[in-house]
Amino acid sequence: DGRTAALIDLGAPGGDVLLERIASELPAATEAVTSFWGPQWPREVEIVVAGTADQFEALAAGGADTAATTPAERIIFSPAAAAMTDDDLRIVLRHELFHHAARGDTAIDAPVWLVEGVADYVGRPPVPEPVMPAVVPTDEELSTPGPRRSAAYDRAWEFASYVAATYGPGKLRELYVAACGHGHRDVETAVRDVLGVNLAALTAGSS
């Protein structure tokens, strides 16, 4: 769509092949992000593959269970991402590209679970009938490595997917800006203002 990407390999084994795979996914990933977020996001994308796990941790604060992160104005992949399947790589790239697109409009104190849930909505394949989780995750759950963290990400994605399916993707974007943007409202207030329903009623399936 006229954007440019700088693809940088810092010496990872198979890093050049990983970047070729990323390059082949970028047009569709860009289209997915723009379709949800709109065209107003940075025209340049820098994607880096760290050379080692230690370098990935130093550059991106990424651990062994993290495939990629988006600190500052670049997307950084772990060298271990070279072993990902095409489907998983596609999800991770779209997820991180959304973070890149929305970063300028996302407050530093935004609720992490909603930021990550919307990124997963953009990144993951859609489901025909998403189910609202009974309890939304907490930011603390998303920061705890292991099964608890994975389950929290799933619930965050389920929340975002349900909102988009029930109220429309435009309302999910509006909710993101209201609850995660600069000067944002708390999630309960944002849900009530944007969707016209209390968060408790929404998670109870009473919307």
Side-chain angles (χ1 to χ4, degrees), residues 114-195:
L114 186 55
V115 171
E116 297 298 331
V118 173
D120 262 1
Y121 165 77
V122 174
R124 297 193 194 190
V127 292
E129 295 183 5
V131 177
M132 170 64 71
V135 179
V136 298
T138 65
D139 288 358
E140 188 272 333
E141 287 177 307
L142 266 71
S143 66
T144 304
R148 187 183 183 201
R149 181 185 185 191
S150 179
Y153 265 89
D154 284 345
R155 299 206 320 273
W157 166 65
E158 289 166 356
F159 176 90
S161 296
Y162 181 89
V163 169
T166 305
Y167 298 92
K171 281 295 184 181
L172 178 61
R173 187 194 190 285
E174 187 178 342
L175 178 62
Y176 184 97
V177 173
C180 304
H182 301 292
H184 61 83
R185 290 155 270 179
D186 61 83
V187 174
E188 290 81 0
T189 301
V191 166
R192 185 171 60 251
D193 290 350
V194 174
L195 304 181

Side-chain angles (χ1 to χ4, degrees), residues 14-34:
D16 55 342
V17 175
L18 175 58
L19 284 176
E20 288 177 3
R21 294 171 62 199
I22 290 171
S24 70
E25 291 286 350
L26 265 176
T30 299
E31 182 178 352
V33 170
T34 298

Side-chain angles (χ1 to χ4, degrees), residues 46-48 56-57 59-63 65-78 92 95-97 99-100 103 116 149 153:
E46 184 175 294
I47 300 176
V48 177
F56 180 58
E57 183 176 4
L59 292 175
D65 63 340
T66 304
T69 65
T70 306
E73 298 180 357
R74 63 176 63 177
I75 299 170
I76 304 180
F77 277 83
S78 163
V92 169
H95 177 110
E96 299 301 334
L97 196 62
H99 284 321
H100 175 74
R103 179 168 299 282
E116 297 298 331
R149 181 185 185 191
Y153 265 89

